[in-house]
C-alpha cells in the first residue's frame, strides 16, 4: 500500500480482475498465485487462454512458473536490480513512452541516470536471470498494448519492501502501462479484507479513506467534528515499531484483534519474549491462538465471514456486503459489539451502533466511499472505490487522470523513484551457505491456526525443501530429520526434495509452528517505510542429526 500511495496518492491496485483476463502481457512478480491466490489465478488462466504472455519472476520454479511462457529465476532479494536492468533496456531500445512521461510524470532524468549502470550483463550478474530473458521481457512488456504487473509477499517481505514496489511502479510509468483499461499495477492481498482494513484506517498514518493524518488537516477536522475529539496530527506506530517500543518499555499494554504475532513475527524467540514481558495483553480472536495463550484477557470474537454483518473490500477495490448466516457460538460476540462495549466502559457511549450505521458514518467522512450506500452495494453486487457520489458507477481502474490532455485535469504528476539495489541483510557465507526463503502452500494458511483444524489430502507435514544436488552434497535423503540453523536459532525438520529449487536455495512455510517453528530462523530486519520484516531471505546451514546409539 505504501509504495502505491506514495506515487499515486491511493493505496490500492489500479486494475479490475477482468483486465487480467484481457491483458496482452501478465507479469507475476514474487507471486505464486496458483497456490496462494488460486481464485485470482483463474483470471490469469483466462488471460493465458485468450493469448496473454505470462512472465513469472520468482526464485523458485513454482506451480505458477510452470504456466509461464518465461520464468525468470531471480536470486532472492535482487528485484530492484532486475527492474533497473529492464528499465535500462527499455530506455536504450527507445521503447519508453516519451509522451506519457512528459505529460504525466516527474523525475525521469534522475531515474534514467540511476539505471544506466544496469546493463543486461550486470543484470544477469546481480540477479542470476539470463540477459536474453531480461531483454525479452523488457521488449515484450514495453511493446504490448496492455501489460499488467502483479505482486505479493515475494516483493513486500523484504527489508526494502517499499523500494521494491517503487521499482515495479517505475516500469509502468516508463511504458505508460498504468491509468488505462488493461494496463496496471496490482498488489494481490494476502488475506481476506486486507485492502478493506487499510481503507478503513487500520494503518498508523492514515484516517479512513487513505486521508493522511499529518498532511490533510481538512480531513482531520472532519473527523474531529464527527467524533467530538482532537486527533493528534502525528503518525502512530506500525507493528515493527510497536515491538521496538515493547523492547524499550515504552509500550506496556497491547490489544490484539485477529492476529497471532507470537507465531507470525520474524525472530520468534524475540517476539514471544516481548509479548510475555507486557504488563497487560488483550487478545480478541475466534480461536485460542499462541498469542491468546499469553493474554491477561481473552475476548471471544465472531467469525466475520459467517457470523457478522458488514462489508469487505477485495484486491480489485470492490466493496461487497457480508451477511450473517449463523449466530456466534457460546460467549463469542461480534467485533463491533465488543469494541462498542469497551468504548462505553471507557467513558464514550456511542449508543446503538449497527454495521450499517457505522458504514454510514464512514461514507460521510471518506470521499472515496461516499456514493456506496448499502442499497447500491446490494443492487450492483459491490462497487469499486473511488465512488464519490450516488450517481457514480465506481472505478474499474485508477489514475485515468494521468492521460488527460488538459493539464488542469491531470492532477499531480506521478514521480519516478530512484531506488538502489540492496541485497538481503542476512548474508550467505561459509558458516551459513544456504538461502532460506519462506512462503505458503495451497492447502494451508499463515500460522495454521484455522487450516490446522481440518484435514486435507494435499497436506503434508512441514519440511525443509531443497534441491537434489544440495541433498547429495549434504549426504541427506528424503524424509531424513536434519537441523536447520540460522544466526537466531535452530529447528529440526525432515528433508523434502523439490525440483522447483536450484542449488543453494531452500524453502519452508510458516504453517505448522507446533511441528517446526520456522520463524525462529527468520530475521526481523525490517523496512523502515512499511515496517515489514524480511521473511523471504534468511541465511542457514543444515546439519545431519547425530545417530541415536542403541
Amino acid at each position: 500500500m505504501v509504495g502505491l500511495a506514495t506515487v499515486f496518492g491511493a493505496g490500492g491496485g489500479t486494475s479490475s480482475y477482468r483486465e487480467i483476463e484481457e491483458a496482452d502481457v501478465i507479469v507475476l512478480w514474487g507471486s505464486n498465485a496458483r497456490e496462494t491466490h488460486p481464485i485470482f489465478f483463474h483470471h490469469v488462466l483466462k488471460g493465458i487462454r485468450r493469448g496473454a504472455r505470462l512472465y513469472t519472476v520468482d526464485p523458485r520454479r513454482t506451480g505458477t512458473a510452470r504456466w509461464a511462457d518465461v520464468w525468470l529465476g531471480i536470486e532472492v532479494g535482487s528485484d530492484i536490480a532486475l527492474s533497473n536492468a529492464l528499465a535500462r533496456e527499455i530506455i536504450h531500445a527507445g521503447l519508453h513512452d516519451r509522451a506519457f512521461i512528459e505529460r504525466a510524470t516527474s523525475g525521469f532524468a534522475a531515474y534514467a541516470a540511476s539505471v544506466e549502470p544496469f546493463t543486461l550483463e550486470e543484470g544477469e550478474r546481480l540477479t542470476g536471470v539470463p540477459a536474453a530473458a531480461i531483454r525479452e521481457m523488457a521488449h515484450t512488456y514495453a511493446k504490448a498494448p496492455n501489460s499488467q504487473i502483479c505482486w505479493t509477499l515475494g516483493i513486500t517481505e523484504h527489508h526494502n519492501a517499499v523500494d521494491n514496489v517503487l521499482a515495479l511502479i517505475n516500469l509502468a510509468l516508463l511504458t505508460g502501462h498504468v491509468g488505462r483499461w488493461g494496463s496496471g499495477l496490482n498488489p494481490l492481498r494476502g488475506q481476506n479484507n486486507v485492502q478493506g482494513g487499510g481503507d478503513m484506517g487500520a494503518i498508523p498514518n492514515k484516517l479512513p479513506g487513505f486521508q493522511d493524518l499529518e498532511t490533510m488537516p481538512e480531513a482531520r477536522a472532519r473527523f474531529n467534528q464527527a467524533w467530538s475529539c482532537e486527533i493528534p496530527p502525528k503518525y502512530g506506530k506500525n507493528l515493527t515499531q510497536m515491538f521496538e517500543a515493547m523492547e524499550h518499555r515504552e509500550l506496556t499494554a497491547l490489544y490484539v484483534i485477529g492476529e497471532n504475532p507470537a507465531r507470525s513475527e520474524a525472530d520468534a524467540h524475540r517476539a514471544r519474549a516481548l509479548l510475555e514481558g507486557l504488563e497487560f495483553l488483550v487478545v480478541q480472536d475466534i480461536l485460542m491462538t499462541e498469542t491468546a495463550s499469553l493474554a491477561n484477557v481473552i475476548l471471544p470474537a465472531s467469525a466475520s465471514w459467517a457470523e457478522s454483518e458488514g462489508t469487505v473490500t477485495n484486491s480489485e477495490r470492490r466493496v461487497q456486503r457480508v451477511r450473517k448466516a449463523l449466530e456466534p457460538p457460546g460467549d463469542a460476540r461480534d467485533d463491533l459489539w465488543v469494541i462498542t462495549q469497551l468504548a462505553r466502559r471507557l467513558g464514550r457511549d456511542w449508543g446503538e451502533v449497527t454495521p450499517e450505521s457505522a458504514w454510514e458514518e464512514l461514507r460521510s467522512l471518506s470521499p472515496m466511499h461516499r456514493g456506496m450506500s448499502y442499497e447500491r452495494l446490494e443492487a450492483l453486487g459491490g462497487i469499486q472505490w473511488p465512488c464519490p457520489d450516488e450517481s457514480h458507477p465506481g472505478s474499474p481502474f485508477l489514475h485515468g487522470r494521468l492521460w488527460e490532455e488538459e493539464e488542469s485535469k491531470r492532477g499531480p504528476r506521478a514521480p519516478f523513484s530512484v531506488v538502489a539495489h540492496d541485497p538481503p541483510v542476512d548474508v550467505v557465507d561459509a558458516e551459513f551457505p544456504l538461502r532460506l526463503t519462506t512462503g505458503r502452500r495451497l492447502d494451508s494458511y499463515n500460522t495454521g491456526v484455522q487450516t490446522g483444524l481440518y484435514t486435507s489430502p494435499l497436506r503434508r507435514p512441514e519440511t525443509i525443501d531443497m534441491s537434489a544436488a544440495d541433498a547429495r552434497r549434504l549426504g541427506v535423503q528424503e524424509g531424513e530429520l536434519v537441523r536447520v540453523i540460522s544466526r537466531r536459532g535452530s529447528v529440526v525438520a525432515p528433508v523434502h526434495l523439490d525440483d522447483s529449487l536450484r542449488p543453494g536455495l531452500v524453502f519452508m512455510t510458516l504453517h505448522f509452528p507446533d511441528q517446526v517453528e520456522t520463524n525462529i530462523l527468520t530475521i526481523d530486519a525490517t523496512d523502515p517505510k512499511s515496517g515489514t520484516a524480511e521473511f523471504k531471505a534468511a541465511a542457514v546451514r543444515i546439519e545431519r542429526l547425530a545417530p541415536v546409539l542403541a
Side-chain angles (χ1 to χ4, degrees):
M1 289 187 186
V2 178
L4 286 163
T6 299
V7 175
F8 299 113
T14 69
S15 307
S16 300
Y17 294 158
R18 185 178 161 192
E19 292 178 69
I20 303 298
E21 301 174 15
E22 298 179 8
D24 301 292
V25 170
I26 304 168
V27 179
L28 292 177
W29 198 315
S31 170
N32 183 15
R34 184 172 181 238
E35 293 193 41
T36 60
H37 294 84
I39 304 303
F40 173 80
F41 195 67
H42 282 291
H43 298 283
V44 174
L45 290 176
K46 287 182 180 179
I48 292 171
R49 291 175 183 132
R50 290 172 64 106
R53 191 161 180 81
L54 175 63
Y55 292 85
T56 61
V57 181
D58 200 300
R60 300 185 296 142
R61 192 169 184 269
T62 62
T64 302
R66 295 173 198 273
W67 280 91
D69 294 279
V70 179
W71 167 53
L72 288 81
I74 193 172
E75 294 288 343
V76 175
S78 62
D79 303 277
I80 290 174
L82 178 58
S83 174
N84 285 354
L86 290 164
R88 183 190 185 277
E89 177 61 22
I90 289 168
I91 293 168
H92 276 252
L95 299 175
H96 51 306
D97 190 329
R98 292 179 176 86
F100 177 79
I101 292 167
E102 177 66 27
R103 175 199 297 119
T105 73
S106 63
F108 172 70
Y111 172 66
S114 75
V115 303
E116 188 58 30
F118 292 85
T119 62
L120 292 175
E121 295 72 25
E122 181 68 357
E124 179 173 338
R125 184 184 73 81
L126 292 171
T127 69
V129 177
I134 299 174
R135 184 184 185 280
E136 183 196 320
M137 178 174 161
H139 285 243
T140 306
Y141 172 78
K143 290 176 181 177
N146 295 308
S147 292
Q148 296 278 350
I149 298 179
C150 307
W151 66 90
T152 50
L153 302 181
I155 279 291
T156 56
E157 287 188 341
H158 289 275
H159 75 282
N160 53 350
V162 172
D163 283 355
N164 282 345
V165 174
L166 294 173
L168 303 189
I169 294 172
N170 284 336
L171 294 175
L173 296 179
L174 187 64
T175 54
H177 283 313
V178 67
R180 52 192 178 85
W181 179 266
S183 283
L185 293 154
N186 299 289
L188 309 179
R189 301 310 187 191
Q191 300 182 47
N192 180 46
N193 205 34
V194 164
Q195 183 67 54
D199 296 351
M200 297 301 107
I203 43 182
N205 62 333
K206 302 289 184 182
L207 292 161
F210 290 104
Q211 299 173 92
D212 195 274
L213 267 169
E214 291 187 354
T215 65
M216 299 178 70
E218 71 290 347
R220 201 169 60 250
R222 287 198 302 272
F223 283 87
N224 287 343
Q225 182 176 6
W227 293 350
S228 301
C229 67
E230 189 70 29
I231 299 170
K234 181 181 178 182
Y235 295 157
K237 297 183 187 299
N238 61 38
L239 185 58
T240 298
Q241 292 165 336
M242 291 166 71
F243 272 92
E244 291 171 354
M246 289 182 219
E247 199 161 38
H248 298 129
R249 304 300 296 167
E250 296 166 359
L251 190 158
T252 58
L254 189 67
Y255 182 12
V256 178
I257 305 177
E259 185 84 2
N260 188 20
R263 283 284 170 79
S264 62
E265 286 301 288
D267 194 351
H269 283 318
R270 172 180 177 268
R272 186 182 177 96
L274 292 173
L275 291 168
E276 289 175 339
L278 290 166
E279 293 176 12
F280 191 61
L281 175 61
V282 181
V283 172
Q284 184 171 319
D285 215 315
I286 62 174
L287 294 166
M288 189 66 176
T289 66
E290 182 72 10
T291 307
S293 72
L294 305 176
N296 301 95
V297 175
I298 300 171
L299 301 172
S302 61
S304 60
W305 64 86
E307 299 166 359
S308 296
E309 295 284 331
T311 61
V312 298
T313 309
N314 69 5
S315 291
E316 64 170 358
R317 298 169 285 101
R318 185 178 300 278
V319 179
Q320 301 169 87
R321 283 289 317 282
V322 174
R323 296 162 187 81
K324 181 190 290 188
L326 301 167
E327 291 298 324
D331 292 330
R333 296 290 184 271
D334 185 90
D335 291 312
L336 185 59
W337 183 89
V338 173
I339 293 168
T340 302
Q341 293 300 312
L342 281 173
R344 183 171 297 164
R345 285 158 174 77
L346 290 168
R348 295 301 297 247
D349 190 342
W350 296 336
E352 186 64 30
V353 180
T354 66
E356 186 169 5
S357 70
W359 180 254
E360 286 301 303
E361 179 185 274
L362 178 277
R363 287 178 63 206
S364 73
L365 295 170
S366 170
M368 72 185 200
H369 294 97
R370 194 155 287 155
M372 299 184 186
S373 66
Y374 263 29
E375 291 75 20
R376 295 194 75 216
L377 291 174
E378 181 87 33
L380 299 177
I383 302 172
Q384 291 166 278
W385 62 253
C387 178
D389 58 60
E390 293 198 26
S391 65
H392 196 283
S395 304
F397 64 92
L398 296 182
H399 316 309
R401 63 177 179 80
L402 297 172
W403 291 89
E404 292 283 355
E405 291 297 331
E406 204 174 308
E407 186 174 357
S408 62
K409 295 180 179 180
R410 284 201 295 271
R413 291 175 176 266
F416 282 95
S417 304
V418 173
V419 287
H421 170 57
D422 189 10
V425 172
D426 210 15
V427 177
V428 170
D429 58 17
E431 186 178 6
F432 298 98
L434 298 170
R435 175 62 72 200
L436 168 67
T437 195
T438 62
R440 297 177 181 170
R441 297 186 201 149
L442 175 63
D443 62 275
S444 298
Y445 184 67
N446 282 10
T447 59
V449 172
Q450 296 177 69
T451 51
L453 293 177
Y454 64 87
T455 59
S456 166
L458 301 176
R459 186 170 300 149
R460 57 181 174 82
E462 187 54 63
T463 54
I464 176 70
D465 298 356
M466 67 179 70
S467 69
D470 280 334
R472 286 193 298 271
R473 181 179 57 80
L474 294 165
V476 298
Q477 300 178 6
E478 175 77 27
E480 179 179 344
L481 288 176
V482 296
R483 187 172 299 280
V484 187
I485 306 166
S486 78
R487 293 180 173 94
R488 289 151 297 283
S490 68
V491 299
V492 173
V495 168
H496 176 64
L497 303 185
D498 184 346
D499 64 3
S500 76
L501 297 167
R502 57 178 179 269
L505 181 66
V506 295
F507 176 81
M508 300 179 79
T509 80
L510 314 176
H511 299 323
F512 310 102
D514 290 332
Q515 300 170 17
V516 180
E517 194 162 7
T518 302
N519 269 336
I520 288 174
L521 304 172
T522 52
I523 185 171
D524 61 354
T526 53
D527 176 28
K529 299 175 184 175
S530 68
T532 306
E534 192 155 64
F535 290 95
K536 296 301 183 192
V540 300
R541 69 174 182 268
I542 293 173
E543 296 179 354
R544 300 190 72 185
L545 295 178
V548 178
L549 299 177

